[in-house]
Amino acid sequence: MEMQNFDRWAKVYDLIYGTYDKDIDFYRKEARKSKGKVLEIACGTGRIYLELVKDGVDAYGIDISNKMLEILKKKAKELGLKPKVKKADMKSFSFNIKFSLIIIPFRSFLHNLTIEDQLKTLMNVRKHLKPKGKLILNFFYPNPEVFVKDMNKEIKEKIRVKDREYIKITKTSFADEVNQLLLVESKLKIKDKTYWRNKFKISFVYKREFELLLRLAGFKKWKVYGGFDYKSYKQEMVWIVER
Ligand SMILES: C[S@@+](CC[C@H](N)C(=O)[O-])C[C@H]1O[C@@H](n2cnc3c(N)ncnc32)[C@H](O)[C@@H]1O
């Protein structure tokens, strides 16, 4: 099976994550505050992006997967919205405009697997920000407890799709702690038939490491919070970075 196939993921993305909304208020509020053009990197099927457009934000989006963007566009059409999205890689996207805010929600920065790719992305982001623009992103805090408890074994989850319909997801994450990589294998079952399976790799990033990456990319000021409530550390690192 081909690795990193995001088109393949698109088929089931909304089934699995479509109703996740813990981050939406936060990004909506920040987008409103920015009062300018906003770019969402890795906008996927528009879970957050479409909420911003609905809210009147002048939002643009990029994603590497055409299939994800097709779904986003279909949803936009049904809502009577006009999305400004295009297929592009976060390492090399290019716009003639500069943004007040660039966001990379839902841990998508972790799709950069090497230091080179991480830096390319951050430098490209910085290039596309207005002088007082901000980069806001979140990814998980690599909690050693979680690594001990949940890695290298099957984690089963049941997701309710309709009133009495469930889908079963089995996820197995293999950790390469030295190289800070996770190989995630997912299997989705509907009525006990395997409906879909996929594999992908992500990296995990520590707080001080990301601070060094930000410095190398030319950023000088940032704040990091432990969640979308701007408070203490739980599971997530939420970064607000000034250009
Ligand atoms: C976890 S999803 C997030 C989607 C959306 N932002 C959300 O919050 O629901 C990750 C997305 O990253 C996209 N992606 C992965 N690598 C990328 C890259 N190098 N450049 C742009 N998008 C990428 C995938 O196609 C996928 O849509």
Side-chain angles (χ1 to χ4, degrees), residues 64-81:
I64 204 160
S65 159
N66 263 330
K67 283 269 171 0
M68 293 270 191
L69 293 176
E70 272 169 27
I71 295 171
L72 184 154
K73 285 178 193 160
K74 194 166 159 248
K75 282 164 39 181
K77 202 171 169 198
E78 284 162 11
L79 292 164
L81 303 172

Side-chain angles (χ1 to χ4, degrees), residues 12-167:
V12 298
Y13 191 84
D14 279 353
L15 209 53
I16 305 177
Y17 302 108
T19 54
Y20 179 84
D21 61 3
K22 290 189 176 63
D23 50 359
I24 291 178
D25 278 347
F26 169 82
Y27 281 107
R28 196 194 285 123
K29 211 169 9 170
E30 290 295 336
R32 249 185 230 162
K33 260 202 285 190
S34 80
K35 294 194 174 84
K37 292 188 191 315
V38 175
L39 170 66
E40 180 180 350
I41 289 182
C43 58
T45 60
R47 190 180 61 83
I48 295 175
Y49 176 83
L50 291 173
E51 293 300 321
L52 302 186
V53 178
K54 256 194 243 170
D55 203 41
V57 174
D58 188 10
Y60 293 68
I62 62 151
D63 198 281
I64 204 160
S65 159
N66 263 330
K67 283 269 171 0
M68 293 270 191
L69 293 176
E70 272 169 27
I71 295 171
L72 184 154
K73 285 178 193 160
K74 194 166 159 248
K75 282 164 39 181
K77 202 171 169 198
E78 284 162 11
L79 292 164
L81 303 172
K82 292 218 156 37
K84 293 188 272 196
V85 295
K86 67 178 185 187
K87 183 187 161 155
D89 190 315
M90 60 178 113
K91 302 186 282 291
S92 55
F93 70 86
S94 170
F95 285 91
N96 290 327
I97 44 177
K98 299 218 186 233
F99 296 94
S100 301
L101 173 65
I102 297 183
I103 61 173
I104 321 179
F106 219 22
R107 306 172 169 180
S108 302
F109 181 76
L110 305 184
H111 291 302
N112 291 297
L113 300 181
T114 63
I115 293 179
E116 285 72 27
D117 288 356
Q118 291 168 333
L119 277 176
K120 271 188 199 159
T121 294
L122 289 175
M123 284 170 169
N124 200 23
V125 164
R126 193 161 181 278
K127 202 171 92 184
H128 283 87
L129 280 175
K130 284 189 165 172
K132 290 214 162 132
K134 279 184 190 161
L135 159 66
I136 302 187
L137 73 164
N138 70 282
F139 48 81
F140 69 89
Y141 153 63
N143 184 340
E145 265 176 49
V146 174
F147 277 74
V148 171
K149 203 165 80 33
D150 290 348
M151 293 294 150
N152 309 320
K153 64 166 168 261
E154 288 193 339
I155 305 284
K156 292 197 162 85
E157 232 182 294
K158 246 180 161 183
I159 296 182
R160 197 198 208 106
V161 270
K162 281 188 204 132
D163 244 3
R164 285 162 63 208
E165 246 178 74
Y166 288 90
I167 51 173

Side-chain angles (χ1 to χ4, degrees), residues 123-221:
M123 284 170 169
N124 200 23
V125 164
R126 193 161 181 278
K127 202 171 92 184
H128 283 87
L129 280 175
K130 284 189 165 172
K132 290 214 162 132
K134 279 184 190 161
L135 159 66
I136 302 187
L137 73 164
N138 70 282
F139 48 81
F140 69 89
Y141 153 63
N143 184 340
E145 265 176 49
V146 174
F147 277 74
V148 171
K149 203 165 80 33
D150 290 348
M151 293 294 150
N152 309 320
K153 64 166 168 261
E154 288 193 339
I155 305 284
K156 292 197 162 85
E157 232 182 294
K158 246 180 161 183
I159 296 182
R160 197 198 208 106
V161 270
K162 281 188 204 132
D163 244 3
R164 285 162 63 208
E165 246 178 74
Y166 288 90
I167 51 173
K168 282 188 217 153
I169 301 185
T170 312
K171 236 192 212 172
T172 319
S173 304
F174 301 96
D176 175 352
E177 286 93 348
V178 173
N179 293 303
Q180 290 177 229
L181 291 171
L182 289 182
L183 171 64
V184 185
E185 292 185 6
S186 311
K187 220 169 26 188
L188 197 152
K189 283 188 177 177
I190 298 178
K191 296 193 178 108
D192 285 326
K193 267 183 79 182
T194 300
Y195 174 72
W196 171 90
R197 54 169 77 221
N198 205 8
K199 274 188 198 177
F200 61 90
K201 246 188 202 169
I202 55 169
S203 60
F204 52 94
V205 177
Y206 291 92
K207 178 168 172 275
R208 289 190 183 189
E209 175 190 14
F210 194 64
E211 292 184 316
L212 289 173
L213 288 170
L214 287 174
R215 279 194 204 185
L216 276 174
F219 293 101
K220 294 201 172 59
K221 241 176 119 179

Side-chain angles (χ1 to χ4, degrees), residues 26 225-238:
F26 169 82
Y225 300 97
F228 299 109
D229 54 0
Y230 307 88
K231 283 187 196 135
S232 59
Y233 288 90
K234 284 178 200 137
Q235 207 197 340
E236 208 66 19
M237 291 190 280
V238 180

